[in-house]
Amino acid sequence: MMALSEPFAETWLDTGDGHLLHLSQHGNPQGVPILFLHGGPGAGCTVQELQLFDLNHCHIILLDQRGAGESLPAGELKHNDLLSLLTDLERIRHWLQLEQWCLVGGSFGATLGLIYSGLCPRRVMAQLYWGLFIPSDTGRDWLYGSSGAAKRFPIDYHSFVNAAQPRGSGLPMLFEAYQIQLHGGSRARHCVEAWNRWERVLAQPWGVLTPVPYRRDEATAKIEHHYAINRYFDAYTLLYEGRQQWPTQTEIIQGTQDWVCPEHLLREFLAQGTAPHQLTWVSGGFHGLAEDKMLQAVQQGCRRMFANVTRNLRSSG
């Protein structure tokens, strides 16, 4: 008998512009459809994400976004931008013949999901996110500049900068140096490792860093850098303008010790106007789900979302 963690369907969808999107479906095909949105951008999905859900009652859709995970070509940057990612979500929903679905994701996956729900609110029954990345210049500078997270982790930041050996100081110089190295430079492998290590240190401070296959790390570094130097293709504007359209059942879970997407940036963004959401703080929680506090909070959030959706489906049926 097939284990629930194994996909009941797996395919690569051709986008028509050079990308093949890896899509695997898990759990109950007749269950509540839930699309999982990974972060990065470029990080890809893993089967560990399935631990968030009741696979007996949920239809889980794991999508590796363009160039990420098992999608092909790995790390491809051509036709890899925000609007393409958003179009892919609608393409997949149509392909699966789903009228509506739920969205779950973290970090940039949360950003992508909230933008999508602002553009297509009638397609989203409910959504749950954690570690929401605010794709503004301030959010980017906090993550990669010398005055944000760098102040809290100065030794690790020095290693991050030194790996690329920029010609001068400042974020533009640092991004230029990484551009050269990530795309055929003599220090390419060292820079791929340094880029990913910096973000893992922020996501899981003082923890044991889990090794990731180099192919995935390389794709993540190239795609994250690509989005960062392009200012996330104006994602902040779409996030801000669409916030009033978020579905009523929107929950954002945030750790108070999230150094990738810090508390003050989220508070500042949400303070700019009323948007439908429930905000759940996790005291001492980090950015990712590698530690128990955040994992348990997100698991509980998924159970709340599932209970609310099934209750609404019964009452409307």
Side-chain angles (χ1 to χ4, degrees):
M1 185 175 180
M2 185 183 71
L4 284 176
S5 60
E6 296 179 7
F8 64 77
E10 183 178 23
T11 192
W12 278 260
L13 292 179
D14 191 339
T15 64
D17 56 7
H19 287 268
L20 293 174
L21 303 179
H22 177 248
L23 191 72
S24 63
Q25 301 178 64
H26 304 256
N28 182 352
Q30 306 305 317
V32 173
I34 301 175
L35 174 67
F36 182 87
L37 296 169
H38 66 71
C45 296
T46 69
V47 293
Q48 279 71 44
E49 268 88 52
L50 297 175
Q51 67 185 313
L52 299 175
F53 309 104
D54 179 354
L55 296 181
N56 289 301
H57 298 98
C58 296
H59 170 190
I60 307 303
I61 304 151
L62 298 183
L63 164 67
D64 288 328
Q65 297 155 28
R66 293 183 175 222
E70 300 301 315
S71 290
L72 299 171
E76 179 60 59
L77 304 182
K78 189 177 181 181
H79 301 301
N80 195 337
D81 53 56
L82 179 66
L83 291 181
S84 295
L85 300 188
L86 291 165
T87 300
D88 289 342
L89 301 190
E90 274 296 88
R91 177 183 286 113
I92 289 164
R93 186 184 63 78
H94 280 282
W95 183 76
L96 293 172
Q97 298 181 342
L98 296 173
E99 186 68 23
Q100 290 183 305
W101 51 5
C102 299
L103 306 180
V104 170
S107 196
F108 185 81
T111 311
L112 181 64
L114 285 171
I115 292 172
Y116 172 82
S117 71
L119 293 170
C120 307
R122 291 187 295 176
R123 302 305 180 192
V124 182
M125 291 185 283
Q127 53 188 350
L128 173 77
Y129 304 113
W130 65 92
L132 170 60
F133 177 63
I134 306 299
S136 61
D137 284 350
T138 303
R140 186 184 69 158
D141 292 349
W142 166 272
L143 183 55
Y144 298 117
S146 60
S147 299
K151 293 292 187 182
R152 293 186 175 272
F153 301 91
I155 297 173
D156 297 292
Y157 186 72
H158 174 75
S159 297
F160 170 59
V161 172
N162 190 57
Q165 298 182 349
R167 294 183 294 110
S169 60
L171 194 52
M173 287 287 192
L174 180 61
F175 280 160
E176 178 188 55
Y178 264 101
Q179 174 75 18
I180 293 169
Q181 293 301 329
L182 291 175
H183 298 278
S186 61
R187 299 168 59 82
R189 190 178 189 96
H190 184 49
C191 283
V192 165
E193 293 169 350
W195 183 280
N196 285 282
R197 186 183 185 280
W198 169 239
E199 294 202 7
R200 289 188 189 120
V201 165
L202 300 186
Q204 192 182 352
W206 312 291
V208 177
L209 303 183
T210 305
V212 174
Y214 179 77
R215 175 181 174 277
R216 280 201 171 219
D217 266 357
E218 182 181 28
T220 301
K222 286 182 176 180
I223 295 171
E224 286 186 346
H225 175 269
H226 171 65
Y227 274 73
I229 63 174
N230 285 286
R231 288 185 157 83
Y232 303 98
F233 300 95
D234 208 22
Y236 182 79
T237 298
L238 290 175
L239 181 66
Y240 178 81
E241 291 181 348
R243 71 196 190 286
Q244 303 294 343
Q245 303 302 316
W246 295 350
T248 304
Q249 291 189 43
T250 295
E251 182 175 0
I252 300 170
I253 298 175
Q254 198 80 5
T256 60
Q257 300 296 308
D258 186 335
W259 304 121
V260 177
C261 311
E263 175 181 346
H264 71 275
L265 291 183
L266 177 61
R267 288 191 185 277
E268 288 169 8
F269 174 75
L270 294 176
Q272 295 181 81
T274 303
H277 70 276
Q278 173 185 335
L279 181 58
T280 302
W281 291 102
V282 179
S283 179
F286 295 142
H287 179 66
L289 305 184
E291 49 95 19
D292 288 343
K293 285 184 179 179
M294 286 299 294
L295 176 60
Q296 291 172 8
V298 173
Q299 286 174 328
Q300 291 166 6
C302 286
R303 286 196 289 270
R304 286 192 296 272
M305 182 185 73
F306 175 79
N308 289 334
V309 167
T310 52
R311 183 166 52 249
N312 290 342
L313 289 174
R314 282 196 296 265
S315 62
S316 63

